[in-house]
Amino acid sequence: MDRLGPDSFIKKMEANSGVTFHQAQVALSRQWIGQDPENTQETVTIAIPEATTEGIVQSDKTPQKTETVPIPKTTEEAADIVRRFEAGARGIRGDEEVADSVAQHMLNDETSLWKERWLGTEEEELNSYISELLYIHSKVMIVDDDRVIGDGDSEICLVVEDDDKIESYMDGKPHRAGRFAATLRRKLYREHLGLIEPQTATNGHHPVTSFMRPAPHHNDDETGTEQDRLVMDPLADETLILLRKTATENRNIFTELFRPVPTNLVRSWAAYDNYVPKVKSGHVVPGIDLARVKERLSAVRGALVECPLDFLIDDKEFVTGPEWKGLNPTLPIYI
């Protein structure tokens, strides 16, 4: 969940600078890529997102607007375009107190979503709240709070066994855990449960914590804190209840405001068509006012949601029929 900036501000920058947002976007990309003598591409065509009547599914019926932008020939030309676009903000700024992101409120933040400033209209702010799907590729396995197995790309490539032991609990019983494995698992639990402080360092006013520093700086020892105690034992009833309660509440909030898929409420394609809102992907569903959006999003904690195992479960053609013959019999489990 997050909040985008107001469109009106970007439009004023475009008018003042003579540079469109997409021109500045392409120019910035050109700066990052640098000078590539083998690249002969001269333009970039950008698809402009439009509200559709098809929910998040796009087809040949979806209206499509595009903008073709020339690629700057040199990095110097690209830098000049970016400078002109940024200069277009002069005289219309004043949004320094408007946060670039409000996602930190799902963590243990000292402020609240209600205190976030906004300089656009109420309708613009309502339309700026979005929910996005995250596709996680990296994998990690933490075994008995004692061993960490990590993944670099598509194969297991790292095993960490720690001789530094700490006193802990496992299934209600005393357990000697590896410091690295146990504290990593607890930190991940706390992040997904919203039990860590935001790590923000964008304007110089936020403190830089030990967890924001690279090696060889040591992380602060958080064992013994109340937040750490809540997730110390991964098999304790208290921990499992906290995980399930947080996941259920977050799922209910996102369902009310955004109707994300996959979801257990959609058991067939017919139900899918009736469920998905006819708005831009990830935006607030129609009929909900700004106060309700802020009220509900203020209750989001972390990023944990229930796994929708019943999504499209009534459409048996996904797991039966001749097209499935010869395939790995475990494949349907992942569909």
Side-chain angles (χ1 to χ4, degrees):
M1 176 277 297
D2 211 339
R3 188 182 69 177
L4 304 174
D7 290 340
S8 58
F9 182 78
I10 297 296
K11 291 175 181 177
K12 290 177 182 178
M13 290 181 64
E14 291 178 328
N16 289 351
S17 66
V19 176
T20 70
F21 172 77
H22 289 136
Q23 287 174 332
Q25 193 176 37
V26 171
L28 184 60
S29 300
R30 177 69 176 80
Q31 283 186 279
W32 289 343
I33 294 173
Q35 201 75 30
D36 184 1
E38 298 183 2
N39 186 5
T40 59
Q41 184 177 348
E42 296 181 350
T43 62
V44 173
T45 299
I46 300 173
I48 301 174
E50 293 288 331
T52 76
T53 59
E54 302 173 79
I56 68 170
V57 177
Q58 294 189 357
S59 68
D60 54 0
K61 297 180 181 179
T62 304
Q64 187 66 74
K65 294 175 62 177
T66 62
E67 178 183 348
T68 300
V69 179
I71 299 175
K73 297 185 182 300
T74 65
T75 54
E76 291 77 12
E77 180 184 348
D80 180 65
I81 292 174
V82 173
R83 279 194 296 267
R84 285 161 48 202
F85 181 72
E86 292 175 343
R90 296 171 186 166
I92 61 171
R93 295 296 297 186
D95 66 338
E96 289 81 4
E97 296 184 18
V98 178
D100 292 330
S101 171
V102 297
Q104 72 274 13
H105 296 299
M106 72 178 188
L107 302 175
N108 189 23
D109 192 26
E110 60 184 11
T111 63
S112 73
L113 184 61
W114 290 99
K115 295 184 179 296
E116 291 290 351
R117 294 198 59 191
W118 180 264
L119 299 184
T121 65
E122 184 172 305
E123 181 181 4
E124 282 182 325
E125 184 176 10
L126 176 62
N127 293 333
S128 72
Y129 284 98
I130 58 170
S131 172
E132 297 178 293
L133 289 173
L134 297 179
Y135 293 92
I136 308 301
H137 181 68
S138 61
K139 279 81 66 177
V140 64
M141 179 187 298
I142 301 175
V143 183
D144 295 337
D145 274 1
D146 198 54
R147 180 178 300 175
V148 176
I149 304 174
D151 167 55
D153 182 35
S154 59
E155 65 281 334
I156 301 298
C157 64
L158 176 70
V159 177
V160 178
E161 295 179 323
D162 196 350
D163 293 332
D164 184 7
K165 303 295 183 179
I166 60 174
E167 299 299 330
S168 186
Y169 283 87
M170 183 72 67
D171 199 16
K173 302 174 183 177
H175 175 69
R176 293 274 291 171
R179 179 180 295 276
F180 177 74
T183 57
L184 175 61
R185 196 268 307 161
R186 295 177 191 178
K187 191 75 171 185
L188 291 173
Y189 269 37
R190 290 171 53 205
E191 178 185 358
H192 292 305
L193 290 167
L195 297 176
I196 64 172
E197 295 180 357
Q199 297 179 10
T200 307
T202 56
N203 57 16
H205 300 302
H206 299 93
V208 177
T209 69
S210 66
F211 300 100
M212 300 164 68
R213 296 184 180 277
H217 294 276
H218 293 286
N219 293 152
D220 292 339
D221 185 0
E222 295 183 310
T223 58
T225 63
E226 175 61 19
Q227 291 82 2
D228 188 70
R229 185 198 64 79
L230 290 173
V231 296
M232 177 187 297
D233 186 341
L235 298 180
D237 289 343
E238 180 186 38
T239 306
L240 297 177
I241 290 172
L242 179 60
L243 290 169
R244 291 172 184 146
K245 180 180 178 181
T246 302
T248 300
E249 178 64 12
N250 286 345
R251 167 63 71 174
N252 291 340
I253 293 170
F254 287 124
T255 296
E256 176 185 345
L257 300 183
F258 302 106
R259 292 192 195 169
V261 287
T263 172
N264 286 334
L265 298 176
V266 175
R267 300 173 64 92
S268 66
W269 278 119
Y272 180 97
D273 292 335
N274 293 326
Y275 174 83
V276 175
K278 307 304 185 285
V279 296
K280 287 183 181 180
S281 176
H283 284 64
V284 176
V285 303
I288 300 180
D289 61 33
L290 180 60
R292 180 61 176 173
V293 170
K294 289 186 175 182
E295 176 188 356
R296 296 297 280 146
L297 290 181
S298 294
V300 171
R301 289 294 173 265
L304 194 65
V305 294
E306 293 175 315
C307 182
L309 297 178
D310 290 340
F311 178 60
L312 298 180
I313 196 171
D314 292 340
D315 278 330
K316 303 301 181 184
E317 62 269 20
F318 281 114
V319 293
T320 61
E323 64 273 18
W324 289 96
K325 289 184 178 180
L327 295 177
N328 188 325
T330 63
L331 183 60
I333 295 174
Y334 301 98
I335 300 299

